[in-house]
């Protein structure tokens, strides 16, 4: 089968399109004929050699697929060959065929294209898991979602607007993305290049109360302003550490304000746990995609032969929403 392979680790020059054996589904797995996938930042980290796939998963890049069921593995029920599906995968999405666990599949609504479906599983499930299932975000809450314009950020804004009422959304964003972030529902946008310590602006906006939940992928650099922006009993959910892994924490303030810091990853969770998360997302959020309340935001669709250009666009942070890779 055709797939994106890597000639070692490093920059975009290591990405090569070539031939590799087609995988076979194992117990409780299905083989998917992939129509499209999307580029996610962990793909770039894996390309550099710093984010290996979980044991047993494909070493081919790619964390989500949209396509059709090609073959059912032993023990799989409830799915039929030819069904339009989207799914999380531990790896292997940059290829004509990929293996996924049956309990990680979701049906693609008739109203959605394969390209749109390719955007859903990694970014929207990540946002849903960490904002709602872990962060406990509710109606009338206040939330900060860092990374204005990225896939998880735009997904988080859309999910908050679709699933909650009277929730105020604060976003940090680069200056060139501020207007677009406002257009999709942010109530306040902070230019992080001008205001790296955003806590005072957050306090001013919230009448010194702070926010209930923060979704952060920045890490060390933002720990202090994040904690200073949290309300009493607020939750900081960390899903990335692009600015570093070590920072000083005022434990006394954290205790007095009863704040929580929660670390979270999706890829390495057990199969059953991911299945439970997918089931909750399917029940709660997928209807909003079916009725077009939520429409995935696609910056550009690249062909599989243009994978290096797709990675370059993400590296240069020139996208808003998702970057899609068309396989067929």
């Amino acid at each position: 089968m055709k797939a994106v392979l890597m000639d070692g680790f490093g920059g975009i020059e290591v990405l090569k399109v070539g031939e590799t054996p087609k995988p076979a589904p194992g117990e409780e797995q299905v083989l998917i004929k992939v129509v499209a996938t999307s580029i996610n930042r962990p793909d770039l980290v894996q390309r550099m050699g710093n984010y290996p796939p979980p044991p047993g998963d494909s070493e081919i890049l790619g964390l989500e697929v949209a396509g059709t069921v090609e073959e059912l593995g032993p023990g799989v029920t409830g799915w039929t060959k030819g069904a339009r599906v989207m799914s999380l995968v531990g790896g292997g999405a940059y290829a004509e065929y990929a293996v996924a666990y049956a309990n990680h599949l979701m049906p693609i609504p008739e109203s959605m294209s394969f390209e749109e479906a390719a955007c859903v599983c990694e970014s929207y499930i990540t946002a849903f898991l960490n904002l709602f299932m872990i962060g406990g975000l509710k109606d009338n809450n206040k939330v900060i979602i860092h990374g204005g314009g990225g896939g998880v950020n735009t997904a988080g804004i859309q999910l908050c607007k679709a699933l909650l009422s009277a929730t105020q959304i604060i976003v940090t964003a680069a200056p060139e993305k501020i207007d677009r972030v406002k257009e999709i529902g942010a109530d306040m946008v902070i230019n992080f290049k001008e205001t790296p310590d955003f806590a005072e602006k957050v306090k001013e906006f919230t009448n010194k109360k702070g926010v209930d939940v923060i979704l952060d992928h920045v890490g060390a650099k933002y720990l202090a302003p994040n904690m200073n922006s949290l309300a009493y009993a607020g939750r900081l959910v960390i899903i990335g550490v692009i600015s570093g892994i070590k920072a000083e924490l005022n434990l006394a303030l954290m205790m007095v304000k009863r704040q929580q810091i929660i670390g979270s990853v999706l890829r390495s969770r057990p199969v059953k746990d991911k299945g439970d998360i997918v089931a909750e997302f399917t029940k709660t959020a997928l209807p909003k995609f079916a009725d077009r309340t939520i429409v995935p935001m696609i910056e550009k669709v690249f062909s599989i032969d243009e994978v290096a250009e797709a990675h370059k666009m993400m590296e240069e942070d020139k996208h808003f929403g998702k970057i899609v890779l068309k396989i067929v």
Side-chain angles (χ1 to χ4, degrees):
M1 68 173 182
K2 193 175 184 180
V4 176
L5 307 176
M6 291 198 301
D7 184 14
F9 298 109
I12 59 174
E13 68 278 357
V14 306
L15 299 171
K16 311 291 181 184
V17 178
E19 292 290 325
T20 193
K22 183 169 70 173
E27 189 78 22
E28 303 294 340
Q29 293 180 327
V30 302
L31 181 67
I32 298 172
K33 183 174 178 59
V34 182
V35 175
T37 181
S38 69
I39 311 297
N40 292 286
R41 198 158 294 278
D43 302 345
L44 278 60
V45 181
Q46 183 176 337
R47 191 197 72 211
M48 297 298 295
N50 298 320
Y51 192 38
D57 283 315
S58 173
E59 293 187 1
I60 294 172
L61 297 176
L63 300 176
E64 56 189 330
V65 296
T68 57
V69 174
E70 180 74 9
E71 183 182 343
L72 303 178
V76 175
T77 59
W79 296 100
T80 57
K81 184 175 179 179
R84 284 168 27 104
V85 296
M86 50 187 168
S87 181
L88 288 167
V89 292
Y94 290 20
E96 286 186 283
Y97 294 93
V99 167
Y101 282 95
N103 65 339
H104 297 172
L105 269 59
M106 294 186 290
I108 298 176
E110 291 184 5
S111 60
M112 291 184 72
S113 67
F114 284 111
E115 290 83 1
E116 290 172 336
C119 301
V120 173
C121 292
E122 180 66 18
S123 294
Y124 285 89
I125 290 179
T126 294
F128 180 81
L129 166 66
N130 293 293
L131 287 172
F132 296 90
M133 298 180 71
I134 293 176
L137 193 64
K138 296 179 175 61
D139 293 341
N140 300 300
N141 277 181
K142 296 177 178 64
V143 61
I144 297 174
I145 310 176
H146 291 300
V152 173
N153 177 275
T154 53
I157 295 171
Q158 289 180 300
L159 287 166
C160 287
K161 301 299 287 187
L163 300 177
L164 298 174
S165 63
T167 296
Q168 291 185 305
I169 304 166
I170 302 170
V171 172
T172 55
E176 64 272 15
K177 297 183 179 181
I178 288 175
D179 288 342
R180 295 187 70 181
V181 172
K182 288 180 179 177
E183 287 173 4
I184 64 171
D187 297 286
M188 178 189 184
V189 185
I190 299 171
N191 181 341
F192 69 77
K193 292 186 177 181
E194 289 184 353
T195 314
D197 186 351
F198 45 84
E200 287 304 316
K201 285 188 175 293
V202 171
K203 289 178 182 177
E204 181 181 342
F205 182 76
T206 61
N207 294 320
K208 298 183 179 181
K209 293 181 179 179
V211 300
D212 302 282
V213 178
I214 300 175
L215 182 59
D216 177 54
H217 69 285
V218 179
K221 181 179 178 180
Y222 276 9
L223 181 61
N226 275 336
M227 298 305 289
N228 288 332
S229 298
L230 278 181
Y232 280 85
R235 285 84 65 198
L236 168 61
V237 186
I238 299 176
I239 61 171
V241 288
I242 61 173
S243 72
I245 61 174
K246 294 183 179 180
E248 189 171 287
L249 175 65
N250 185 333
L251 292 173
L253 180 64
M254 178 182 171
M255 292 166 60
V256 169
K257 296 183 72 174
R258 306 188 308 279
Q259 296 166 333
Q260 299 177 52
I261 301 174
I262 307 164
S264 175
V265 294
L266 179 59
R267 187 183 193 183
S268 60
R269 288 174 179 268
V271 172
K272 182 185 182 301
D273 287 2
K274 284 196 277 190
D276 292 341
I277 295 164
V278 169
E280 184 62 28
F281 182 89
T282 301
K283 179 180 70 174
T284 304
L286 192 58
K288 299 298 183 180
F289 293 87
D291 68 12
R292 308 296 283 178
T293 299
I294 299 176
V295 178
M297 306 187 69
I298 299 175
E299 177 65 35
K300 187 172 181 179
V301 178
F302 290 89
S303 72
I304 188 173
D305 296 311
E306 297 172 316
V307 63
E309 290 89 338
H311 272 229
K312 184 179 179 182
M313 176 178 276
M314 176 159 282
E315 284 183 337
E316 294 177 348
D317 198 26
K318 291 183 176 179
H319 63 295
F320 191 87
K322 297 286 285 185
I323 301 169
V324 172
L325 193 66
K326 191 76 177 290
I327 304 300
V328 297

